[in-house]
């Protein structure tokens, strides 16, 4: 019995390993040991939908057949889409109280451009839209663009729909904002059209990006690089750099840093935990800036 169990578990490892390799090739995400176990649970709906008995059978099927649709579903299921409104509350407080007012004071052309890279189901982008709407008086006359991208088709579909179950709105969304910016629907709460209209949600792979068209004033790439291999993180910073300008502010997730990647970005002198381009990489402004 023991031998059977151990054979089964080593065989199970093979299947997950093959699917992990698929995930990494497509998205750059590396499945750590502890996430491999959760991955099996995440794959259950895919197994059920295709009448496959377990992960081994799924991996063997994909090895034998070039089934792009199934591959995409597997990758989608294995992605970690964890997100919440105003995630890391103090970061959003800094954006509201310091970063956005600073951009407003600098950009003479009254244009604000934000990119939420790896936006998942959209809570990050909606949180920013809420902050801007709550401060609408100060943004009157501004042209505001929020691009929000994610590789997951499912996540982007949900983000565009703007419907969040009760459980999601209970995580981080202040009651006042819920009442003001969402309406109750059968499935939970739907973001008002005004919020939805502010955000351009697009499915896009950060490893082969088509959507971003920088430079952006504020770039958020939070909790995305955490599971990238070192080399891919370097490529990601190059990408973020290409879409930044001399005054851009970059925000990463709490467990992520730009330090140790050849200094593509340096710690921002004014905003705690944020990054900016180093002075050597900061060319002339590509738009009118107000200078003190
Ligand atoms: C943990 S969520 C973070 C969501 C949000 N940024 C936050 O911090 O709440 C990570 C997101 O990155 C996306 N992602 C992972 N690899 C990606 C890639 N290569 N291109 C675009 N998005 C990717 C995943 O689909 C997932 O939705």
């Amino acid at each position: 019995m023991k031998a059977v169990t151990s054979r089964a578990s080593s065989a199970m490892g093979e299947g997950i390993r093959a699917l992990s390799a698929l995930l990494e090739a497509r998205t750059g995400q590396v499945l750590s040991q502890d996430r491999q176990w959760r991955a099996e649970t995440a794959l259950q709906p895919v197994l059920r939908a295709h009448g496959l008995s377990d992960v081994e059978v799924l991996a063997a099927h994909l090895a034998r057949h070039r089934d792009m649709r199934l591959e995409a579903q597997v990758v989608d299921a294995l992605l970690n889409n964890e997100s919440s409104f105003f995630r890391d509350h103090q970061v959003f407080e800094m954006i509201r109280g310091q970063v956005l007012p600073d951009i407003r004071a600098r950009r003479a052309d009254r244009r604000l451009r934000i990119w939420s890279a790896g936006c998942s189901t959209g809570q990050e982008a909606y949180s920013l839209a809420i902050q801007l709407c709550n401060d609408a008086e100060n943004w009157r006359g501004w042209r505001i663009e929020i691009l929000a991208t994610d590789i997951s088709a499912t996540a982007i579909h949900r983000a565009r729909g703007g419907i969040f179950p009760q459980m999601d709105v209970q995580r981080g969304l202040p009651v006042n904002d819920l009442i003001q910016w969402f309406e109750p629907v059968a499935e939970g709460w739907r973001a008002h059209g005004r919020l939805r209209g502010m955000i351009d949600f697009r499915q896009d792979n950060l490893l082969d990006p088509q959507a971003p068209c920088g430079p952006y004033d504020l770039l958020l790439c939070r909790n995305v690089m955490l599971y990238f291999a070192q080399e891919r993180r370097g490529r990601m910073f190059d990408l973020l750099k290409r879409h930044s300008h001399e005054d851009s502010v970059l925000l990463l997730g709490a467990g992520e840093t730009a330090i140790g990647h050849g200094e593509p970005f340096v710690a921002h002198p004014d905003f705690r935990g944020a990054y900016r381009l180093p002075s050597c990489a900061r060319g002339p402004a590509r738009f009118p800036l107000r200078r003190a």
Side-chain angles (χ1 to χ4, degrees), residues 39 60 125 136 185 208 237 258 265:
V185 291
D208 179 24
F237 284 118
F265 288 88

Side-chain angles (χ1 to χ4, degrees), residues 106-123:
R106 282 175 193 274
R107 285 216 52 161
D109 61 353
R110 298 182 146 231
R111 195 172 174 204
L112 168 67
R113 307 192 74 219
I114 300 176
W115 178 21
S116 166
C119 65
S120 186
T121 38
Q123 288 92 326

